[in-house]
Amino acid sequence: MAIIVTFDFPGAGHDLYDTVIHRVTAGQGFTRFEDVSNPGLISHVAGPIDGGFRVTEVWESPEALESHAKTFAPILADLGYADAQPTITPAHNVVVS
């Protein structure tokens, strides 16, 4: 079952996002799904919100997210966001091009 994952980072901006992406992808950047070493990512979008930054993703399953979390959770902790908890909801419908 696909899931929708939303992280809100109050007080953060694109610098935090860019740093996390740099570390997750070993500096190669993130312009295609293959740049993320863990399979199962269906959709990814990130941008500013009032007072912070939001990342929303769709993953094939909770297990796929858990596998990827082993990569990004230590990075978030190192950057001072160890307590960042996403909102996770089941996806009713997912359409991709």
Side-chain angles (χ1 to χ4, degrees), residues 1-3 38-40 59-70:
M1 165 188 54
I3 57 171
N38 301 99
W59 285 86
E60 289 178 354
S61 67
E63 295 79 17
L65 173 63
E66 288 173 21
S67 177
H68 183 60
K70 293 175 186 172

Side-chain angles (χ1 to χ4, degrees), residues 17-65:
Y17 174 81
D18 293 344
T19 299
V20 172
I21 292 299
H22 181 80
R23 292 188 187 183
V24 166
T25 65
Q28 70 184 19
F30 183 35
T31 58
R32 44 194 190 111
F33 292 133
E34 294 81 19
D35 295 335
V36 178
S37 60
N38 301 99
L41 181 62
I42 296 172
S43 175
H44 173 94
V45 63
I49 58 172
D50 261 356
F53 206 79
R54 175 174 288 160
V55 177
T56 301
E57 298 177 325
V58 177
W59 285 86
E60 289 178 354
S61 67
E63 295 79 17
L65 173 63

